[in-house]
């Protein structure tokens, strides 16, 4: 019967089996603290189905490529942008040009049709996005509270009314 649910359940109960993308194995495995959050990132993409997804602070691409993989597997019409200077990251020991070229090789063939790697500071990039346009914003920037607070304050006007903001790496 339509509208009938099992005892104790409601029609709005969450069923993980409706979101199998979160069980996908990331195609790019980079050993980072974010790697353990890959299923959550994929689930967020499935739940939100963003029109515009932006990541600030992409570094080696662990989180960003996981989000792009979910967009690809779900065949969404999402536009994705990774914003980073790729000038190197003392926390991860990244060498900027080597890391960026490696990222670009992985990115362009797999996600280049719907994704852009934007080499820029967060403050410079914010002007390239319309207010109220971003449905999923992942800030993966500084561990310092003031820097993270600045990023949230700067980018908050860019969030759509249904937007979700995820802040990772706050160590305060």
């Amino acid at each position: 019967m339509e509208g009938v649910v099992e005892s104790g359940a409601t029609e709005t109960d969450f069923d993980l089996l409706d979101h199998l993308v979160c069980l996908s194995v990331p195609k790019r495995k980079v050993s980072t603290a974010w790697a353990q959050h890959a299923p959550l990132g994929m689930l967020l993409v499935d739940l939100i189905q963003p029109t515009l997804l932006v990541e600030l602070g992409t570094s080696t691409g662990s989180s960003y490529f996981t989000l792009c993989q979910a967009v690809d597997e779900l065949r969404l019409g999402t536009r994705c942008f990774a914003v980073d200077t790729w000038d190197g990251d003392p926390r991860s020991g990244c060498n900027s040009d080597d890391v960026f070229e490696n990222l670009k090789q992985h990115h362009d063939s797999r996600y280049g049709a719907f994704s852009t790697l934007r080499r820029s500071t967060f403050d410079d990039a914010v002007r390239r996005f319309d207010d109220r346009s971003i449905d999923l914003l992942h800030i993966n920037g500084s561990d310092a509270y003031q820097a993270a607070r600045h990023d949230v304050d700067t980018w908050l006007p860019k969030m759509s009314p249904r937007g979700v903001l995820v802040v990772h790496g706050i160590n305060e």
Side-chain angles (χ1 to χ4, degrees):
M1 252 202 248
E2 190 174 333
V4 175
V5 293
E6 293 180 29
S7 177
T10 67
E11 290 185 46
T12 59
D13 282 344
F14 177 80
D15 187 348
L16 190 58
L17 294 176
D18 292 334
H19 306 281
L20 294 178
V21 71
C22 70
L23 300 177
S24 294
V25 175
K27 293 178 182 173
R28 180 176 171 97
K29 294 181 183 167
V30 179
S31 181
T32 68
W34 201 91
Q36 65 191 355
H37 303 302
L40 175 61
M42 290 184 170
L43 177 63
L44 284 174
V45 169
D46 194 8
L47 292 172
I48 298 165
Q49 305 235 336
T51 300
L52 180 59
L53 180 157
V54 177
E55 178 172 272
L56 306 178
T58 301
S59 189
T60 59
S62 179
S63 55
Y64 186 68
F65 289 141
T66 298
L67 300 173
C68 286
Q69 181 179 330
V71 166
D72 186 48
E73 289 182 12
L74 293 165
R75 294 181 173 85
L76 302 177
T78 306
R79 286 287 306 145
C80 300
F81 292 87
V83 178
D84 203 315
T85 61
W86 286 283
D87 282 342
D89 182 350
R91 292 177 297 160
S92 65
C94 295
N95 175 333
S96 61
D97 290 330
D98 292 344
V99 168
F100 183 74
E101 287 308 315
N102 184 281
L103 235 63
K104 192 166 172 37
Q105 283 181 348
H106 181 83
H107 172 272
D108 290 354
S109 63
R110 290 167 182 83
Y111 310 120
F114 62 86
S115 170
T116 302
L117 300 177
R118 182 157 288 152
R119 226 171 170 170
S120 171
T121 65
F122 301 168
D123 286 348
D124 287 341
V126 73
R127 293 185 286 271
R128 294 177 173 252
F129 296 92
D130 292 334
D131 285 354
R132 303 170 56 88
S133 65
I134 300 173
D135 297 317
L136 179 56
L137 176 62
H138 178 217
I139 299 178
N140 191 21
S142 175
D143 286 339
Y145 173 79
Q146 289 302 328
R149 182 65 204 213
H150 171 78
D151 294 339
V152 169
D153 290 344
T154 301
W155 284 81
L156 202 54
K158 304 302 176 181
M159 298 300 299
S160 78
R162 66 184 198 93
V164 174
L165 169 64
V166 177
V167 181
H168 180 259
I170 300 294
N171 193 20
E172 289 283 332

